[in-house]
């Protein structure tokens, strides 16, 4: 892929640079494809190492915390010191983690391996989100959706590839995914060079660029903080529910319907593919109809379907999972861009905070739900999680940022 700077000569929101957006989206796909190997091989690791559901939850907790705690600090640092090489560096950490995971011989080695993969993610996401906004040409929702859908596509493809490559052949075959890491490092090195050109432009034209980027939204500091808190509550709702699906949906299908591991992975792929579709829709619809409206529909709108899912048969379960995946996944792009509108000029910090909090809530959710499953049942876990999207009602307390900016 040939990567060029915007034809207008202005790297900040004059034209949408689709070449860069698709490149960073593919990089996101490769990153999340490799990360999705971890939950995809849970049934195999559980059997091989005789793990409890609590230990499965701790693996996810370690992975998600390493992918979350560093992100706001990485974002805060890169807001002041943009680092184009961090894109490829993050992918390198993922590569090393996968190699360790393929050779892990104990529970603690597994924890170390997933921590390395999580660290790679924490380095990658803040700067990748900044690149997406730089290339957006003002269509920030669209750009974030293109970036996000790459990650969701990778998360959907990863379990399918794990079911084909790893599950039948064993843990050692995880190392074949290193090829994706190498491809990602090469691609992100090209994107990093384009990103470096944009940084140099900003340095040379700092005053004009700052005036354009640092637009005020007319909200008080207290209102901005309360809005960020509400958005984080919504992230909690979404990612606790997502944790039940990504970490335990296969176990739910196996336990309730007697499916094989490979069959359950196919249905997990269907859910994750629906998540990718919803992500594509969320950003552009947010640009058109307002991000607050999309957040309303995405979180609260999923509730009727999540409440119904624990009480139906296999076919209806899969159909509902697909519907839930499409609806609930449209929220994140809208939430992230809404948050960057609240705090302009802090893309790295906001991306790091929200990606980090999302991963952290996914990890905590997986650990808590694993503990709950050990003490009750997988079916009970899904019955409890069904109520989480009702938290979406707090969206009503968010200000309409788009309307204020227009006025």
């Amino acid at each position: 892929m040939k990567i060029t700077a915007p034809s207008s000569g202005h790297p900040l929101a004059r034209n949408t640079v689709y070449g860069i957006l698709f490149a960073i989206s593919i990089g996101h796909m490769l990153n999340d494809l490799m990360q999705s190997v971890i939950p995809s091989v849970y049934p195999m690791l559980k059997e091989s190492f005789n793990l409890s559901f609590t230990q499965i939850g701790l693996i996810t907790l370690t992975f998600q915390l390493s992918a979350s705690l560093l992100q706001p600090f990485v974002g805060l640092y890169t807001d002041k010191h943009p680092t184009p090489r961090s894109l490829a560096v993050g992918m390198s950490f993922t590569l090393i983690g996968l190699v360790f995971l393929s050779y892990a011989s104990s529970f603690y080695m597994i924890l170390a391996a997933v921590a390395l993969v999580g660290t790679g993610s924490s380095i990658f996401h803040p700067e990748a989100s900044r690149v997406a906004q730089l290339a957006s040409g003002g269509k920030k929702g669209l750009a974030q959706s293109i970036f996000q859908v790459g990650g969701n596509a990778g998360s959907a493809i990863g379990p399918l590839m794990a079911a084909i490559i790893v599950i039948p052949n064993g843990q050692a075959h995880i190392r074949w995914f290193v090829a994706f890491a190498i491809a990602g490092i090469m691609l992100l090195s090209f994107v990093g060079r384009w990103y470096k050109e944009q940084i140099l432009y900003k340095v040379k034209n700092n005053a004009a660029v700052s005036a354009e980027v640092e637009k005020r939204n007319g909200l008080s500091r207290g209102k901005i903080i309360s809005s960020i808190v509400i958005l984080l509550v919504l992230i909690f709702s979404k990612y606790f529910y997502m944790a039940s699906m990504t970490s335990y949906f296969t176990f739910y299908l196996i336990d309730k319907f007697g499916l094989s591991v490979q069959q359950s992975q196919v249905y997990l792929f269907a859910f994750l593919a629906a998540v990718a579709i919803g992500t594509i829709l969320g950003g552009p619809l947010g640009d058109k109809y307002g991000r607050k409206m999309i957040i309303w529909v995405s979180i609260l709108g999923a509730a009727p379907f999540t409440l119904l899912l624990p009480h139906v048969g296999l076919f209806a379960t899969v159909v509902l999972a697909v519907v839930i995946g499409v609806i609930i996944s449209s929220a994140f792009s809208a939430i992230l861009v809404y948050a960057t509108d609240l705090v302009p000029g802090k893309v790295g910090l906001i991306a790091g905070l929200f990606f980090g909090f999302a991963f952290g809530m996914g990890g905590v959710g997986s650990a808590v739900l694993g503990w709950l499953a050990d003490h009750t049942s997988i079916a009970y876990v899904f019955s409890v999680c069904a109520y989480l999207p009702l938290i979406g009602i707090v969206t009503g307390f968010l200000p309409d940022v788009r309307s204020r900016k227009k006025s």
Side-chain angles (χ1 to χ4, degrees):
M1 178 182 294
K2 184 178 180 181
I3 299 174
T4 59
S7 58
S8 65
H10 195 306
L12 297 176
R14 287 291 183 248
N15 296 304
T16 304
V17 190
Y18 287 101
I20 293 296
L21 288 179
F22 290 131
I24 200 67
S25 180
I26 292 171
H28 199 187
M29 180 192 72
L30 295 172
N31 181 79
D32 285 21
L33 183 154
M34 291 180 289
Q35 290 184 19
S36 69
V37 171
I38 294 171
S40 299
V41 298
Y42 280 170
M44 182 187 70
L45 294 176
K46 187 176 189 296
E47 181 178 353
S48 299
F49 293 91
N50 195 27
L51 303 177
S52 66
F53 281 120
T54 300
Q55 287 176 306
I56 293 292
L58 287 173
I59 292 172
T60 303
L61 179 63
T62 300
F63 168 55
Q64 300 286 34
L65 287 182
S66 64
S68 63
L69 293 180
L70 288 177
Q71 285 206 44
F73 298 103
V74 172
L76 184 62
Y77 176 82
T78 55
D79 278 334
K80 298 178 180 178
H81 310 283
T83 312
R85 291 182 181 178
S86 64
L87 297 169
V89 169
M91 194 70 73
S92 300
F93 271 88
T94 300
L95 185 155
I96 296 169
L98 287 178
V99 172
F100 274 35
L101 184 60
S102 69
Y103 289 103
S105 58
S106 70
F107 174 65
Y108 295 103
M109 288 185 68
I110 293 172
L111 293 181
V114 301
L116 284 169
V117 176
T119 300
S121 178
S122 69
I123 296 172
F124 170 80
H125 282 99
E127 285 292 71
S129 294
R130 191 196 312 279
V131 170
Q133 289 218 4
L134 280 173
S136 70
K139 301 176 182 177
K140 294 192 287 185
L142 173 64
Q144 191 62 39
S145 281
I146 292 174
F147 171 63
Q148 278 298 114
V149 79
N152 290 339
S155 296
I157 295 169
L160 197 60
M161 297 193 68
I164 296 170
I165 298 172
V166 181
I167 300 298
N169 300 301
Q171 176 185 345
H173 282 70
I174 293 174
R175 62 176 175 265
W176 288 104
F177 285 84
V178 167
F180 294 110
I182 295 172
I185 291 169
M186 295 173 63
L187 176 65
L188 293 175
S189 295
F190 281 109
V191 174
R193 286 201 287 271
W194 179 88
Y195 180 25
K196 185 176 181 179
E197 292 178 4
Q198 315 314 302
I199 294 171
L200 293 174
Y201 181 95
K202 185 175 180 178
V203 170
K204 293 178 180 178
N205 302 272
N206 189 60
V209 171
S210 295
E212 182 173 343
V213 172
E214 299 291 343
K215 294 178 180 177
R216 298 191 178 276
N217 50 40
L219 298 174
S220 68
R221 180 181 178 85
K223 191 64 175 178
I224 290 172
I225 292 174
S226 65
S227 298
I228 292 292
V229 171
I230 291 171
L231 293 175
L232 292 175
V233 169
L234 294 172
I235 290 290
F236 158 79
S237 168
K238 169 181 163 60
Y239 278 91
F240 246 68
Y241 187 83
M242 288 291 289
S244 72
M245 296 297 287
T246 55
S247 293
Y248 299 109
F249 190 48
T250 54
F251 293 111
Y252 176 78
L253 294 173
I254 292 168
D255 178 69
K256 186 172 182 178
F257 302 110
L259 301 183
S260 68
V261 172
Q262 287 180 303
Q263 287 174 321
S264 68
Q265 291 285 2
V266 172
Y267 292 129
L268 177 61
F269 168 77
F271 168 74
L272 294 174
V275 168
I277 293 171
T279 301
I280 295 174
L281 299 175
L285 290 175
D287 286 337
K288 186 173 182 179
Y289 297 108
R291 306 188 212 291
K292 181 178 176 179
M293 176 63 69
I294 298 305
I295 296 169
W296 261 115
V297 173
S298 180
I299 304 294
L300 191 59
F305 305 101
T306 62
L307 290 167
L308 187 59
L309 184 141
H311 308 289
V312 297
L314 175 60
F315 177 77
T317 295
V318 175
V319 171
L320 286 172
V322 169
V323 173
I324 292 166
V326 171
I327 294 175
I328 205 168
S329 62
S330 61
F332 189 78
S333 294
I335 289 173
L336 185 59
V337 176
Y338 183 100
T340 60
D341 286 342
L342 287 173
V343 191
K346 300 292 184 182
V347 176
L349 174 61
I350 293 299
L353 175 63
F354 278 84
F355 274 110
F357 190 75
F359 291 160
M361 285 300 97
V364 171
S366 184
V368 170
L369 297 177
W371 175 88
L372 186 61
D374 279 334
H375 288 78
T376 56
S377 67
I378 286 291
Y380 182 74
V381 166
F382 275 77
S383 296
V384 171
C385 290
Y387 293 91
L388 286 170
L390 292 175
I391 295 175
I393 197 168
V394 301
T395 305
F397 296 101
L398 291 173
D400 191 335
V401 174
R402 187 177 70 164
S403 296
R404 286 178 175 271
K405 289 174 74 174
K406 283 184 177 180
S407 63

